[in-house]
Amino acid sequence: MATIRDVARLAGVSVATVSRVINKIGNVNSETAHQVLKAIEQLQYEPNSVARGLAGKKTGTIALILPDILNPFFPALARAVEDVAHQEGLTVIFGNSDGLGLKERSYIKTLKKKYVDGIIIASNTVNPEDIEHLRKDQVPIVLLDRGLDIPTCPIIRSQNREGAKLAVKHLLSRGCRKIAHIYGPQEMITARERLLGYEDVVEGLDWYSPSLAVPGNFDIEGGRKAIKLLLERQPDIDGVFAGNDLMAIGALKGLHDLGIPVPERIKVCGFDGISLAEITEPELTTIAQPIYEMGALAAKILIREINTGISENTIMKLDVTLIPRKSTWKEGIDVDEA
Amino acid sequence: MATIRDVARLAGVSVATVSRVINKIGNVNSETAHQVLKAIEQLQYEPNSVARGLAGKKTGTIALILPDILNPFFPALARAVEDVAHQEGLTVIFGNSDGLGLKERSYIKTLKKKYVDGIIIASNTVNPEDIEHLRKDQVPIVLLDRGLDIPTCPIIRSQNREGAKLAVKHLLSRGCRKIAHIYGPQEMITARERLLGYEDVVEGLDWYSPSLAVPGNFDIEGGRKAIKLLLERQPDIDGVFAGNDLMAIGALKGLHDLGIPVPERIKVCGFDGISLAEITEPELTTIAQPIYEMGALAAKILIREINTGISENTIMKLDVTLIPRKSTWKEGIDVDEA
DNA sequence: CTGAAAGCGCTAACAT
DNA sequence: ATGTTAGCGCTTTCAG
């Protein structure tokens, strides 16, 4: 592989000049520039990113740390981040943290040593001090989806609480008179907000009781168990709002096991809008987050900070939308009223 | 951030000695080593990977290029690769190629410039010359899932042809007497092999006709369309073997649209064993590939080659297994006979 | 507008 | 066993 020196020699200029033309900075006589370009072409020269990283402190690499790419919510995020990065000529390092603070911190340490230009992470353990350290080392970071409200760092989420309200109101408008909620792990702010949203609308209603909310661990199995528990405690529920689609799918499964017809006897609404929701039977009504957009936005904000050095430490909550499907269907309603 | 020089100074030794202790090579007096370790601890020193990469030609980074992480088949591969890489202290760069040769080559070029230690790629466009180039640049590569049989490069796939036979035989054993096949894009060797496997077993049978095999593009929509086309041409089919789970799910959807009961009237079997197959109604019988193992194996082989410099250019075909579920259920059969 | 030269932080001969 | 030193390939003052 040719080096910058080879190019300089062939073009009859110094390496500094070559560096100037490949980086398009400083002034270079267009004649000389042309010579250099010719030499580059001739030698098939490609600047070495590692050397560049060492000399210039910019590696053209960002990192994306997610809890688990196997969770169907995350691939869309990953795709979005990678798309935007690739478009900007950046490369992305990817890691699974399993939601473990230990692993997250270990990744972050490694990434610093690699001089990554920035980090996007979906984590609920990252705290203000971590951010502080990163900031001191000049490593921009943006929080995605999960993540506390840290005022010193940009964070992208969606309207979880509002979305939850939307879900419950939808169920209400479809005739439900006793709506349960299956919630996710309360250490996740997303799960907490959705529970709050549920409470916001049901708390005033006469049928409401705290025992209508049960945990489901954000996974299919959890949803399945939750619905069974729920039915034991409150056999007359006619609507279920699950804190995410996975649990909603579990609930659907559980109801199917029990021979309870959906949506006739019980209506179910999920949250997230992952593609799985379209393949269940009945298809799942859900509150869709703009998952891809969230990832893309995170990447854009990160890249902007990398390029300008200034960070907009703001928390952005993207809009969610109700996607009515079979699982909340009701006779005589063709168009959604929400 | 402290550098190796700071450590050397504080420990009262030369940088070479420090380098020796952090790399555990050469001989170092345990006394001195101890001093060095103490200094490292004291300064919170972390070796800079970029400098290391430049000096030593090893960056501790491998790359994984997949067609599209949104396709549910790939996350498990990604998880596996990242898991073993992480375990070995390596970091993984991730990219989506969309199956485009252009994008693949562009990634490969970028990765070379970054001195990645090795590449794992699921591609059907990579050819012997590409491999040759990489080899010349000392960049180990392993092909995963898709990918032609290139004798100069390790490749991991599963028993596609055998698996297809297994599927068709299973359908036969469940009483099907006219089995159709929905196949994937024939530029993919996996799709081709599965079609061959189908033909292997049906070709001799009296009901067989080539029009029983139709394309489905490896996606849900394609499967849905395929089943409808099939039913027009051959209304009396009673079994369908889809070349992957996505198309099988599409077929299930299509049959549901048409009001044709599965498995009573038509039985359906997929291929891949992605988790989606468990959430359909009825649940989907499928030929499961050991997806995670495939990814893990690819990573291990790559890492071995990186460490030893010797490559085992062999094509490995992992075993698949039939997972019988509701979609091929038959009265009076409790245990699978295959 | 262009070149010389000093690093970036580390590894790896080569000495001692 | 340990130190010296020359790079790895590029960026970036600082002169000219």
Side-chain angles (χ1 to χ4, degrees), chain A residues 112-133:
Chain A
K112 273 187 194 169
K113 302 204 286 184
K114 297 218 176 213
Y115 281 179
V116 295
D117 295 340
I119 299 176
I120 295 175
I121 185 169
S123 152
N124 25 221
T125 77
V126 167
N127 58 45
E129 286 127 65
D130 296 320
I131 303 293
E132 199 42 54
H133 286 153

Side-chain angles (χ1 to χ4, degrees), chain B residues 14 16-17 20 27-29 32 55 57:
Chain B
S14 75
T17 300
R20 285 190 190 97
N27 290 324
V28 179
N29 181 316
T32 357
K57 261 75 181 112

Side-chain angles (χ1 to χ4, degrees), chain A residues 14 17 20 27-29 32 55 57:
Chain A
S14 74
T17 300
R20 284 187 192 101
N27 290 322
V28 179
N29 181 317
T32 353
K57 264 58 183 133

Side-chain angles (χ1 to χ4, degrees), chain A residues 70-296:
Chain A
L70 284 176
N71 178 326
F73 177 74
F74 294 110
L77 241 32
R79 175 77 214 211
V81 168
E82 208 275 323
D83 279 355
V84 173
H86 187 247
Q87 210 168 287
E88 299 280 336
L90 301 176
T91 231
V92 4
I93 285 179
F94 157 74
N96 297 100
S97 69
D98 290 315
L100 271 27
L102 210 69
K103 243 179 142 184
E104 289 167 357
R105 261 162 265 275
S106 138
Y107 272 117
I108 290 179
K109 193 194 245 177
T110 311
L111 295 171
K112 273 187 194 169
K113 302 204 286 184
K114 297 218 176 213
Y115 281 179
V116 295
D117 295 340
I119 299 176
I120 295 175
I121 185 169
S123 152
N124 25 221
T125 77
V126 167
N127 58 45
E129 286 127 65
D130 296 320
I131 303 293
E132 199 42 54
H133 286 153
L134 260 346
R135 174 136 291 142
K136 208 158 37 190
D137 290 324
Q138 309 257 39
V139 186
I141 183 170
V142 357
L143 263 29
L144 187 50
D145 184 49
R146 317 180 171 189
L148 314 149
D149 290 5
I150 296 178
T152 56
C153 156
I155 149 154
I156 318 292
R157 270 208 298 269
S158 57
Q159 298 274 16
N160 291 299
R161 190 160 181 173
E162 291 309 314
K165 287 176 164 176
L166 215 66
V168 183
K169 284 179 186 163
H170 169 69
L171 254 8
L172 247 18
S173 82
R174 289 293 163 95
C176 296
R177 292 176 319 124
K178 190 158 189 182
I179 302 168
H181 176 51
I182 305 177
Y183 57 82
Q186 292 297 293
E187 57 272 26
M188 287 187 215
I189 188 163
T190 50
R192 280 204 306 277
E193 288 185 333
R194 290 169 204 173
L195 174 54
L196 285 174
Y198 164 76
E199 291 172 345
D200 282 346
V201 0
V202 300
E203 238 155 20
L205 309 179
D206 54 5
W207 48 259
Y208 174 67
S209 123
S211 69
L212 281 168
V214 301
N217 198 37
F218 264 178
D219 62 26
I220 295 182
E221 214 24 56
R224 193 172 211 149
K225 283 182 188 143
I227 190 71
K228 292 182 179 173
L229 175 61
L230 228 25
L231 254 10
E232 278 168 26
R233 309 216 290 221
Q234 312 263 358
D236 59 335
I237 56 173
D238 57 4
V240 175
F241 163 48
N244 74 356
D245 287 342
L246 253 21
M247 296 190 298
I249 289 168
L252 246 28
K253 284 265 169 215
L255 290 165
H256 185 263
D257 294 347
L258 265 26
I260 298 177
V262 177
E264 293 77 6
R265 174 70 210 289
I266 294 186
K267 303 195 197 310
V268 178
C269 178
F271 199 114
D272 275 353
I274 59 180
S275 49
L276 288 191
E278 294 176 60
I279 72 167
T280 55
E281 187 51 47
E283 295 179 6
L284 183 66
T285 292
T286 190
I287 303 296
Q289 300 191 59
I291 310 183
Y292 188 94
E293 285 69 28
M294 289 166 66

